[in-house]
C-alpha cells in the first residue's frame, strides 16, 4: 500500500470518528447518575427555524429576560421575538456585508462577514459583549447595530480564533478563549489534527482596556463559564476532551486542575439554574482519534495531503452523528445526559442554555435552534 493510500484510509476513519454514531448511548466511565431519558426529551424538541443562515452557536438573554440572542453563519446576531414567533436582526460584527447574506456557503466569507460565537450581556450597562472568531472581542449597546471591536491581540499576538466568553457581573471583567493563534475557525480540524497548543484563556478589563493572558499552551480552549460565586472559571479544552477548573479567588487562586474528563470533544459550557453546568459536545472521541492525537506527526502528514479536510468532514457530518450534551454537578460528575437517538438532525450540540424551565439547544450545523420544556 502506498503512503498516500495509507494516509487517505486513516483520514477517512478519523473524519468518520469525529462524528457521533447514530443511536449511541454516551456515558462517561466516571459517571454514575443518569437523571433523564434522552430519548423522551429529544422527541419533544421544537425546531425554531432560522432563515438565510445556519449554526446558532450560543444563546444569551438580555437583562430584561428577552431573547434568546444568538450568532449565525452570515455574521448576524439575531434575537428571538416570542410574541411574533420570529427572529429579528439585532447586530452585526463586520461593516462589510456584500456577499454575506443569502443561502450559500458562508464559510468562504466568514473571515469578512464575521462569525459571532460566544456572547454575554453586562447587566449593569446592557452592553452585549461578543467573541467573534475573526473580529476578536466586540461590544454593542442595548439598541444593537454594528458592534465595536475592543480587543484583537494580547502580548503582541493577534487573536486567531476568538471563541467563547463569560462576564463577572460584579467587576465587569470579561474572560474569553482564543482557540488557536495558527488555525482559523474555518479550519478547526487542523488545530485538532496537528496537536496545536497555541490556545489561550484571557481576561479583558473594560476600565483599563487591557488584556491579560491567564493560561497559554492550551489545546483548543473553547467554552468558558464562571462559577456562581466567581471563585473559579471552567474551560472546555476540546482536543483533550476535558473541562478544566482555573481558580480566580480563594487561596487556590492561579492554580489549574481537571474538573471532568469526558469521552467527547467538548464545546460550550453554561451554568444551570438547577445547579451545575451544561456541556455541549461536538462528537464522541473514538479510539482511532485518541491514537491520532497521541501521534501528531500523523495528523500533520494528513494536513499536507491535497484534500480539503473541512469539506470532507462536513460531507460525512450529513450522514453520521447524533447530538449529545451532559450536565455536570459542582463536583464534575455527570447528572444528566442528552443523546439525540430520535433522528431530529442534531449532528452536534454546541451549547445548552437552560432558562425558565426550557432548554435552548445550539448547533453549528443546523438551520434551526432546538427548544423543549423540561
Amino acid at each position: 500500500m502506498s503512503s498516500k493510500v495509507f494516509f487517505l484510509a486513516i483520514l477517512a476513519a478519523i473524519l468518520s470518528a469525529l462524528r457521533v454514531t447514530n443511536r449511541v448511548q454516551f456515558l462517561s466511565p466516571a459517571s454514575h447518575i443518569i437523571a433523564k431519558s434522552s430519548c423522551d426529551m429529544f422527541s419533544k424538541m421544537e425546531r425554531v427555524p432560522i432563515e438565510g443562515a445556519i449554526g446558532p452557536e450560543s444563546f444569551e438573554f438580555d437583562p430584561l429576560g428577552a431573547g434568546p440572542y444568538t450568532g449565525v453563519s452570515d455574521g448576524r446576531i439575531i434575537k428571538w421575538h416570542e410574541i411574533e414567533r420570529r427572529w429579528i436582526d439585532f447586530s452585526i460584527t463586520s461593516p462589510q456585508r456584500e456577499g454575506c447574506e443569502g443561502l450559500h456557503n458562508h464559510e468562504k466569507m466568514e473571515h469578512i462577514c464575521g462569525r459571532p460565537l460566544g456572547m454575554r450581556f453586562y447587566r449593569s450597562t446592557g452592553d452585549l459583549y461578543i467573541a467573534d472568531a475573526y473580529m476578536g472581542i466586540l461590544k454593542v449597546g442595548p439598541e444593537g447595530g454594528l458592534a465595536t471591536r475592543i480587543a484583537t491581540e494580547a502580548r503582541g499576538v493577534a487573536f486567531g480564533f476568538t471563541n467563547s466568553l463569560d462576564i463577572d457581573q460584579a467587576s465587569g471583567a470579561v474572560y474569553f478563549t482564543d482557540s488557536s493563534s495558527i488555525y482559523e475557525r474555518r479550519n478547526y480540524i487542523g488545530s485538532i489534527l496537528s496537536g496545536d497548543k497555541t490556545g489561550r484563556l484571557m481576561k479583558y478589563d473594560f476600565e483599563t482596556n487591557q488584556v491579560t493572558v491567564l493560561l497559554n499552551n492550551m489545546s483548543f480552549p473553547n467554552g468558558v463559564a464562571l462559577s456562581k460565586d466567581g471563585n473559579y472559571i471552567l474551560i472546555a479544552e476540546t482536543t483533550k476532551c476535558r473541562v478544566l477548573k482555573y481558580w480566580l479567588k480563594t487561596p487556590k487562586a492561579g492554580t489549574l486542575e481537571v474538573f471532568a474528563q469526558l469521552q467527547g470533544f467538548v464545546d460550550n459550557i453554561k451554568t444551570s439554574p438547577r445547579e451545575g453546568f451544561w456541556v455541549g459536545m461536538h462528537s464522541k472521541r473514538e479510539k482511532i482519534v485518541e491514537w491520532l492525537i497521541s501521534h501528531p506527526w500523523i495528523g500533520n502528514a494528513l494536513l499536507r495531503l491535497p484534500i480539503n479536510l473541512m469539506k470532507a468532514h462536513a460531507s460525512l457530518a450529513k450522514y453520521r452523528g447524533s447530538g449529545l450534551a451532559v450536565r455536570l454537578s459542582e463536583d464534575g460528575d455527570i447528572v444528566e445526559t442528552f443523546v439525540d437517538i430520535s433522528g431530529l438532525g442534531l449532528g452536534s450540540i454546541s451549547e445548552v442554555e437552560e432558562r425558565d424551565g426550557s432548554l435552548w439547544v445550539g448547533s453549528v450545523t443546523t438551520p434551526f435552534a432546538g427548544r423543549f420544556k423540561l
Side-chain angles (χ1 to χ4, degrees):
M1 180 184 291
S2 71
S3 60
K4 183 175 182 180
V5 173
F6 171 73
F7 281 118
L8 285 174
I10 291 179
L11 174 63
I14 290 165
L15 292 177
S16 179
L18 284 171
R19 308 303 303 176
V20 181
T21 307
N22 286 335
R23 303 194 66 80
V24 66
Q25 278 290 352
F26 179 88
L27 305 177
S28 166
S31 67
H32 53 275
I33 305 173
I34 302 300
K36 298 291 182 182
S37 167
S38 58
C39 183
D40 289 343
M41 286 191 167
F42 274 105
S43 67
K44 298 175 183 177
M45 188 183 76
E46 172 193 1
R47 292 190 185 196
V48 183
I50 295 170
E51 294 185 3
I54 66 169
E57 157 86 6
S58 181
F59 301 104
E60 173 66 326
F61 290 81
D62 66 28
L64 298 177
Y69 298 69
T70 189
V72 290
S73 62
D74 63 2
R76 291 176 297 147
I77 294 172
I78 55 179
K79 173 186 176 182
W80 177 247
H81 197 294
E82 182 64 33
I83 296 176
E84 297 181 9
R85 298 286 299 172
R86 67 184 181 94
W87 298 96
I88 58 176
D89 291 346
F90 175 75
S91 178
I92 53 175
T93 55
S94 169
Q96 303 181 56
R97 298 299 298 165
E98 184 177 354
C100 295
E101 298 176 1
L103 293 172
H104 58 85
N105 183 2
H106 292 128
E107 285 188 3
K108 294 181 179 180
M109 292 288 292
E110 63 183 22
H111 63 296
I112 296 172
C113 307
R115 184 57 169 103
L117 300 175
M119 59 188 70
R120 293 290 188 278
F121 277 98
Y122 182 35
R123 306 201 180 282
S124 295
T125 63
D127 293 330
L128 179 65
Y129 285 79
I130 307 153
D132 185 287
Y134 301 90
M135 307 300 163
I137 300 299
L138 305 94
K139 179 177 72 172
V140 66
E143 301 304 316
L146 176 63
T148 302
R149 292 192 195 188
I150 58 175
T152 58
E153 61 89 23
R155 294 182 181 173
V157 179
F159 305 156
F161 180 176
T162 326
N163 199 324
S164 182
L165 62 80
D166 202 356
I167 297 178
D168 184 337
Q169 297 295 335
S171 68
V174 179
Y175 296 89
F176 66 98
T177 52
D178 183 31
S179 295
S180 174
S181 299
I182 300 173
Y183 294 96
E184 294 182 326
R185 195 208 79 90
R186 53 185 177 162
N187 189 26
Y188 68 85
I189 292 295
S191 180
I192 295 174
L193 294 181
S194 68
D196 173 36
K197 293 183 179 180
T198 61
R200 298 179 287 178
L201 171 70
M202 287 169 279
K203 173 185 175 182
Y204 169 78
D205 187 326
F206 77 96
E207 291 184 348
T208 64
N209 200 34
Q210 296 296 310
V211 177
T212 304
V213 178
L214 301 177
L215 295 171
N216 54 24
N217 300 319
M218 303 187 76
S219 300
F220 205 138
N222 202 325
V224 293
L226 282 161
S227 62
K228 291 180 180 178
D229 56 14
N231 285 341
Y232 62 85
I233 187 169
L234 298 184
I235 313 106
E237 195 173 23
T238 298
T239 301
K240 294 187 177 181
C241 299
R242 65 184 183 179
V243 178
L244 301 174
K245 176 191 282 188
Y246 181 72
W247 289 91
L248 301 169
K249 302 175 184 178
T250 79
K252 291 184 176 182
T255 61
L256 183 69
E257 58 192 59
V258 176
F259 181 73
Q261 182 69 57
L262 301 171
Q263 292 178 339
F265 290 95
V266 289
D267 203 323
N268 289 339
I269 308 174
K270 279 294 193 70
T271 55
S272 167
R274 293 178 294 139
E275 297 188 350
F277 303 88
W278 280 107
V279 182
M281 289 188 235
H282 183 74
S283 59
K284 185 181 178 183
R285 176 171 170 169
E286 299 189 8
K287 291 294 183 181
I288 189 169
V289 181
E290 260 184 68
W291 172 76
L292 173 74
I293 291 173
S294 65
H295 298 84
W297 67 269
I298 300 177
N300 281 288
L302 291 171
L303 290 171
R304 291 193 291 270
L305 291 176
I307 297 171
N308 187 326
L309 296 179
M310 291 296 294
K311 186 176 181 179
H313 180 246
S315 297
L316 280 170
K318 295 178 182 179
Y319 303 102
R320 298 193 54 173
S322 54
L324 63 101
V326 296
R327 183 164 64 92
L328 301 176
S329 71
E330 300 286 345
D331 297 319
D333 295 319
I334 295 176
V335 295
E336 196 166 356
T337 302
F338 276 7
V339 185
D340 179 11
I341 60 175
S342 53
L344 292 174
L346 284 167
S348 67
I349 290 179
S350 58
E351 181 173 292
V352 173
E353 167 75 7
E354 185 173 342
R355 180 85 176 193
D356 299 328
S358 293
L359 299 183
W360 286 86
V361 183
S363 172
V364 294
T365 61
T366 62
F368 63 85
R371 180 171 71 169
F372 52 87
K373 296 184 181 298
L374 291 172

